[in-house]
Every structure is written in C-alpha cells, then in structure tokens.
Amino acid sequence: MTLVKPNGLWLLTLNYNKYKRTYEMQKIFILGILFLIISCSGGQETSQEDEACFSTGSKTYQWTMVTTWPKNFPGLGMGPENFAKYVDEMTCGRMKIKVYGAGEFVPALGVFDAVSQGNVQLGHGASYYWTGKVKSSQFFTAVPFGLTAQEMNGWLHYGGGMELWEEAYEPFNLIPLAGGNSGVQMAGWFKREINSLSDLKGLKMRIPGLAGEVFTRAGAETVTLPGNEIFLSLQQGVVDAAEWVGPYNDLTFGFHQVSDYYYYPGWHEPGSTLEIIINKTAFETLPDDLKAIIKYAAKSANQEMLDEYTARNNKALTELIEKHNVDLRKLPDSVLSELKSITDEVMQDFIADDPMAQKVYKSYTEFKEEVVNYHRISEKAYIDTREID
Ligand code: CA
C-alpha cells in the first residue's frame, strides 16, 4: 500500500495481488477512497471560504443607540459599546450601530421614550428607571434583598423572566434584552455615619427605584438622578448620600472626593441587570440572521460586563482605601434587618394596584425561593467554606 499526491490530492493505491480480494475488503477500499477524496476536496473549499465573510445579504443597516450612561463610561457604558462591536463583527459590517452617551442625543432618562416612539432603534439603560411608566420594570433590574447576577440570569433565561419582561414592554412597542450586570453593588457614599435607622432621618440621598421608597419610609428624602449628575449634587449638598454602582465605577466618578464613608453591602441592588431595548417595528424589518445576531450580541454583552466588574472591583476598592483613605464601613446588621422589614411592606404596597407587577412579583419570588434553597447549600456554603481557617 502506498500514498501518492497527484495534483495536490492524497490518494490511496493498493497492490491488490498481495491481498485476498474479498467482497468486504473491496467495500472498505472504495469507502476509504471516497472518504479521502471528499475530505480533501472539502478542505480546499473551506480554505477558500475562510477568506470571505459568511454573512449574507447586500442591504446595510445604520442604527442608533441612546444610553443612560456617559459615553464609554467604564463598566456600564461599555455594555452598549461591546454590543455594537459584536453586531458589527458578526454581520461583517452589514449592521453599524452608533452609540450616544447620556445627553448627547436625548437626556439619560429620555431613553425609554426615544426608543418606544421610534426616534431611534435602540437603547441601553436600566429598566427600573421607568417604574413611573411600567411598574413591573423594577423587577427586571433588581429589587432589595432580591436575586444576585447569577440568579437573575437564571430567572430571566430559564425561569420565565424574559417572557414577562417582553409582555411588560409590549404596550410600548419595545423588545427588551438583558444587556449587562453589575454584580452586587455597594450600599453607597455617605457624608455621615449610619449607626442606626434613625441616622437616615432627614438624609437626602440619590437612590432610585424601590430602594428609594424603602429609604423614604425610613425617614430619608430620596431622588433619582442619572450618574453624571451625582458628583455635583454631592459636592453642592443637593444630596448628602448617593449610591451608584461599586468601586470600579464609583472611583471613576470620584465620589471619594466629596463624601467620607463608603458603605456595603448593596442590599438594595444585589445583581442589577441592565437592559437593551429595541423598537419593535424596526426590529421586525430585519432579516432573520440579523435578528438572531442582535439577541446573541446582547447575551454576550450581558456576560461581558459582569466579567469586567468581577475582575476589576477589588483593585478599585484597594485604591479607594489605600490611596484615597476612604472609610469603608459595613451597614450594621440591625439597620439591614430593619431595611428588610420595610422592604417587605414597601413591596406589598408597590404591587397592590398593578396586576402585571403582581404577576412578575409572583414569578420572581417563586424562583427566588427555589434558587435560594439550592444556593444555601451550594454558592453560600462554598463561599463560607472557602473562608474557613
Ligand atoms: Ca445602583
């Protein structure tokens, strides 16, 4: 048996006289030859196609994405940038998305309306900014003492969460997708120490969503401000406390220059999901491959953001403490316990007059009970175990 390579193809030749020509051997021989020829010619075709892009279609798309974040802001602001990059790469440039930071095209808190009304095709933000329009949207970002990032992704993609989110945004002609996650946030920056719940009385704090209502009931005055207005508001005394995200993002904004105490844990935002919203009418004009690419690009950007925070938060925290002498504090357990009780009351009132919010709350809490039950003996038990001396 010898191998020869005529015209670039490997072929097998046999000296038949050396072997018995049984029927089975002939069959094996012929199949072997066919396999080699198909493999070789197939390989040649693939190598030619490797040179080209597989994305098909000649029509190109130029879409606009508005965001609630400063342009290119580390972490949060990279969600939309990564998404646009992935879409560009996967469509071989057939679809270009121009990303605008907060205030460049529309104000930060004007993103929902701009996409809903079709002024732009895409938006990136946090759904809980829109609780005034869609009460249930609170659950798709985070609720106090709720799901972590890992658990949110489980609920959204395998626990019925996405279907409910789509239903909630349907009246606004919007399709939502998860587009990033911050992981567990920090409780925030305070100009005064918090030793008991009474220290919250009269406190003016930037804290959005349901947690803002919890703080209000605890005696604070709360406001929702976009990220780019927090620093000035702290500096000028418009607020005397603010929560934003966590060390990696908070360092960038420089909150340590205008407040003394940095409190944890982020009881109010244990794993905030960020959103990509798509104008449904615009989405329906797309060919199927671009529709699929948009969904997978979002999923990728969703995970990418969490990875970045996981990798960078501790370095930023170390810099805040060692270089900027930030006073890191844990909220006392007694305060957290009282905040938890208030959260339960606030939650019941929050959903009372809104059937959709009740429906989402039911799904969310049922999923939470199950996942907490398992995470008690898996994630939590392991993290506790890792701390054992
Ligand atoms: Ca936050």
Side-chain angles (χ1 to χ4, degrees):
M1 183 169 66
T2 54
L3 281 170
V4 294
K5 191 189 179 192
N7 301 321
L9 293 179
W10 287 105
L11 293 174
L12 196 65
T13 63
L14 279 175
N15 184 347
Y16 275 175
N17 295 329
K18 294 182 182 175
Y19 303 95
K20 288 186 178 177
R21 297 182 181 181
T22 64
Y23 173 71
E24 282 305 314
M25 279 203 62
Q26 284 177 31
K27 214 162 71 169
I28 291 166
F29 173 76
I30 291 164
L31 286 173
I33 292 290
L34 282 173
F35 173 77
L36 281 170
I37 290 171
I38 289 167
S39 299
C40 294
S41 58
Q44 282 192 333
E45 279 172 18
T46 303
S47 66
Q48 284 166 3
E49 286 172 359
D50 279 347
E51 303 295 323
C53 185
F54 278 88
S55 188
T56 56
S58 55
K59 189 170 178 187
T60 56
Y61 297 82
Q62 304 277 339
W63 276 23
T64 300
M65 184 176 226
V66 290
T67 73
T68 59
W69 327 114
K71 177 77 178 165
N72 288 321
F73 192 77
L76 302 176
M78 293 316 290
E81 302 294 339
N82 286 332
F83 170 75
K85 181 171 149 253
Y86 301 152
V87 170
D88 186 5
E89 286 173 358
M90 284 193 272
T91 62
C92 300
R94 278 168 68 209
M95 185 170 212
K96 299 276 187 196
I97 297 168
K98 186 164 174 55
V99 177
Y100 287 91
E104 289 182 340
F105 196 85
V106 296
L109 301 182
V111 167
F112 186 92
D113 287 343
V115 185
S116 173
Q117 290 160 9
N119 299 332
V120 296
Q121 298 88 359
L122 290 160
H124 194 281
S127 65
Y128 70 170
Y129 289 146
W130 327 125
T131 48
K133 302 173 196 295
V134 193
K135 210 163 215 189
S136 60
S137 69
Q138 173 72 53
F139 293 96
F140 306 114
T141 307
V143 295
F145 302 98
L147 302 174
T148 65
Q150 185 179 341
E151 293 164 355
M152 270 301 284
N153 284 325
W155 177 58
L156 290 173
H157 300 127
Y158 282 86
M162 274 318 304
E163 290 79 1
L164 289 167
W165 199 354
E166 285 165 10
E167 188 181 335
Y169 277 15
E170 171 80 39
F172 300 90
N173 200 34
L174 290 172
I175 297 170
L177 294 167
N181 200 303
S182 64
V184 180
Q185 299 197 359
M186 291 289 284
W189 297 87
F190 293 75
K191 290 184 177 182
R192 63 167 90 150
E193 289 183 56
I194 305 297
N195 297 314
S196 71
L197 206 67
S198 61
D199 291 322
L200 297 179
K201 288 209 182 344
L203 183 88
K204 288 178 287 180
M205 179 161 184
R206 183 272 178 191
I207 179 166
L210 214 51
E213 179 59 25
V214 174
F215 260 42
T216 301
R217 290 203 191 183
E221 290 174 40
T222 61
V223 289
T224 298
L225 296 170
N228 54 359
E229 293 178 25
I230 298 174
F231 182 89
L232 211 59
S233 300
L234 275 168
Q235 191 180 42
Q236 295 178 344
V238 176
V239 294
D240 36 33
E243 74 77 45
W244 174 229
V245 184
Y248 179 50
N249 272 171
D250 294 4
L251 175 66
T252 308
F253 266 148
F255 299 142
H256 55 277
Q257 298 164 42
V258 286
S259 39
D260 299 318
Y261 304 102
Y262 197 21
Y263 274 95
Y264 71 94
W267 60 278
H268 64 305
E269 293 199 58
S272 297
T273 296
L274 306 178
E275 68 176 7
I276 288 169
I277 46 177
I278 313 164
N279 180 277
K280 198 174 177 190
T281 309
F283 187 73
E284 283 167 357
T285 65
L286 295 177
D288 287 348
D289 63 332
L290 295 194
K291 284 179 181 166
I293 284 171
I294 280 183
K295 289 185 175 176
Y296 290 117
K299 239 181 174 179
S300 196
N302 185 49
Q303 185 63 45
E304 182 89 6
M305 190 184 292
L306 184 63
D307 296 348
E308 187 181 11
Y309 280 117
T310 303
R312 296 188 166 155
N313 264 330
N314 193 60
K315 213 167 268 179
L317 181 66
T318 305
E319 185 176 335
L320 283 167
I321 295 168
E322 293 181 2
K323 193 171 166 193
H324 302 295
N325 300 313
V326 163
D327 195 340
L328 181 71
R329 302 278 183 98
K330 182 177 186 293
L331 282 174
D333 286 350
S334 61
V335 172
L336 289 168
S337 172
E338 286 175 287
L339 290 173
K340 195 173 180 189
S341 298
I342 299 172
T343 295
D344 292 340
E345 294 168 18
V346 166
M347 189 68 87
Q348 291 310 318
D349 292 346
F350 182 76
I351 62 170
D353 61 351
D354 191 305
M356 186 61 195
Q358 288 165 19
K359 191 172 163 182
V360 180
Y361 173 77
K362 183 173 183 291
S363 168
Y364 185 98
T365 47
E366 284 174 1
F367 184 87
K368 185 181 154 193
E369 276 171 30
E370 283 203 22
V371 81
V372 165
N373 191 47
Y374 182 64
H375 275 179
R376 190 173 290 124
I377 58 134
S378 55
E379 300 294 318
K380 183 180 182 306
Y382 170 68
I383 288 171
D384 290 346
T385 303
R386 197 164 53 183
E387 302 291 319
I388 289 174
D389 292 328

